[in-house]
Amino acid sequence: MTFNPVKPPKSSELVMEQLKARISSGEFAPGTKLSSVVDLAAGFGVGRSTIREALSALKAIGLVEIRQGGGTYVSAESKEEPAESQSLFANAQSIRELLEVRIILETGCASMAARNRTEDDLRSIGEELALMEASLHDEAKGEEADVRFHLKLAAATHNSLLIPMMESLSERLHDSMRESRRLWFYGERAEARRLLREHTDIYDAIRQQDERKAFEAMSSHLLKVENVLREAIAGFDTSVRNP
C-alpha cells in the first residue's frame, strides 16, 4: 500500500487561511484595518515573523494592502474568492518559459558585459542599483529600476544583436518581474534586501570585469526566481486538483 507524502502546513499558512476565510466571508470588509502585527501574533499565539509572512501571502494574492508605517488593510476590491490569484498563478507557466529564455540570454549578457563594459556603462548600471536601494519600500519604483538594470546590463555588452533582443523582450520582462516579485512576496523588506544583494553581486562582478563571476551571479539570481515560480506552479496545481 502506497501513499502520497503529506507535508504539514506551516504556521504562516494556517494563519493566512484563517484571515483569508474571514475576508472571504465578509467579516473583514473591504477597507477594514487589521490588527497590528503584535496583536495578531498574540491572538494567534505565534511569532511576529509568522504573521508578517501570512500578511505578505495575502498581499501577493491581492486580498490586503500593506501600507508602510500605516498598517494592513483589506483591499477595497477584495472578492469572495481571489480571482486575481487564479490569473496570477495561471500565468506562472508562461512566466517560467520567459524566465528560461532570460537564463540563457542574460547569463551570457552578464559575462559579455563584464568583458566589454565601459566606465559610462558602469556608472549607468550603478544608478539603477542605487535607485533599487532607495526604493526598498516602493514596489513600483523598485520594479522599474530592476527592469532598467537588466536592460542597461545588456547595453553594456556593446553587441548589436543582444541589445535589440533584450529590448524586444522589455515589455514581457517587465511583466515577468512584476509577477515574480509578487510570487516572491516582495512586500517583505527582507526579501527586497535579498534581491538588492543579488543585483549588487552581479554589478560587482561586472565592475571587476570578472566574466565567470558575472555569469554565476546572474545564473544564481535567476535560478532562485525560477525555484519560487516552480513552487508557485506546484501550489497552484495542487489547489486545482484539491479545490
Side-chain angles (χ1 to χ4, degrees):
M1 186 178 296
T2 61
F3 299 93
N4 292 325
V6 175
K7 182 179 179 181
K10 295 168 57 179
S11 296
S12 61
E13 293 172 352
L14 296 174
V15 172
M16 187 270 285
E17 288 299 331
Q18 284 198 46
L19 291 174
K20 185 171 74 170
R22 295 193 179 194
I23 292 171
S24 298
S25 70
E27 181 179 347
F28 295 158
T32 300
K33 182 178 181 180
L34 300 184
S35 300
S36 68
V37 171
V38 174
D39 289 343
L40 286 172
F44 281 101
V46 298
R48 297 180 189 180
S49 61
T50 296
I51 297 298
R52 293 191 185 96
E53 188 174 348
L55 293 177
S56 290
L58 291 171
K59 179 179 184 295
I61 60 176
L63 286 181
V64 302
E65 299 173 3
I66 301 176
R67 303 175 188 174
Q68 189 61 38
T72 303
Y73 294 79
V74 177
S75 297
E77 298 181 357
S78 295
K79 306 294 182 181
E80 181 176 323
E81 174 62 24
E84 183 179 351
S85 167
Q86 296 289 343
S87 62
L88 171 64
F89 290 102
N91 285 337
Q93 183 69 39
S94 60
I95 295 169
R96 189 177 69 180
E97 290 173 352
L98 176 60
L99 186 58
E100 289 170 347
V101 173
R102 286 184 61 193
I103 291 172
I104 295 170
L105 188 62
E106 293 198 64
T107 51
C109 280
S111 179
M112 191 174 295
R115 180 168 69 247
N116 297 337
R117 62 87 175 160
T118 65
E119 289 301 316
D120 285 341
D121 291 326
L122 201 60
R123 188 178 306 108
S124 183
I125 296 171
E127 288 173 356
E128 302 306 332
L129 191 63
L131 284 172
M132 287 181 66
E133 183 170 15
S135 304
L136 286 173
H137 298 299
D138 189 324
E139 282 191 52
K141 289 183 179 179
E143 177 188 308
E144 293 288 347
D146 195 339
V147 172
R148 290 194 301 268
F149 177 95
H150 287 267
L151 292 177
K152 287 184 176 182
L153 186 150
T157 67
H158 296 278
N159 181 292
S160 61
L161 294 179
L162 278 176
I163 296 170
M165 286 176 68
M166 280 296 294
E167 288 177 344
S168 70
L169 282 173
S170 62
E171 184 175 348
R172 291 296 308 279
L173 185 63
H174 197 285
D175 291 341
S176 167
M177 288 183 180
R178 179 187 300 112
E179 301 292 359
S180 59
R181 279 170 178 268
R182 291 172 63 192
L183 290 172
W184 208 341
F185 303 151
Y186 186 67
E188 282 290 308
R189 187 177 180 185
E191 296 296 345
R193 288 201 174 278
R194 185 171 74 176
L195 194 61
L196 176 64
R197 283 197 300 272
E198 292 178 9
H199 283 76
T200 299
D201 289 343
I202 297 167
Y203 172 81
D204 286 342
I206 292 172
R207 178 175 55 81
Q208 297 163 12
Q209 295 189 298
D210 188 326
E211 296 177 40
R212 179 176 178 179
K213 187 176 178 181
F215 181 97
E216 292 175 347
M218 179 64 79
S219 179
S220 175
H221 165 58
L222 294 177
L223 287 173
K224 285 180 183 177
V225 178
E226 183 179 35
N227 286 336
V228 173
L229 292 175
R230 287 185 187 279
E231 291 177 5
I233 293 167
F236 178 67
D237 287 344
T238 299
S239 68
V240 171
R241 290 195 300 270
N242 305 291

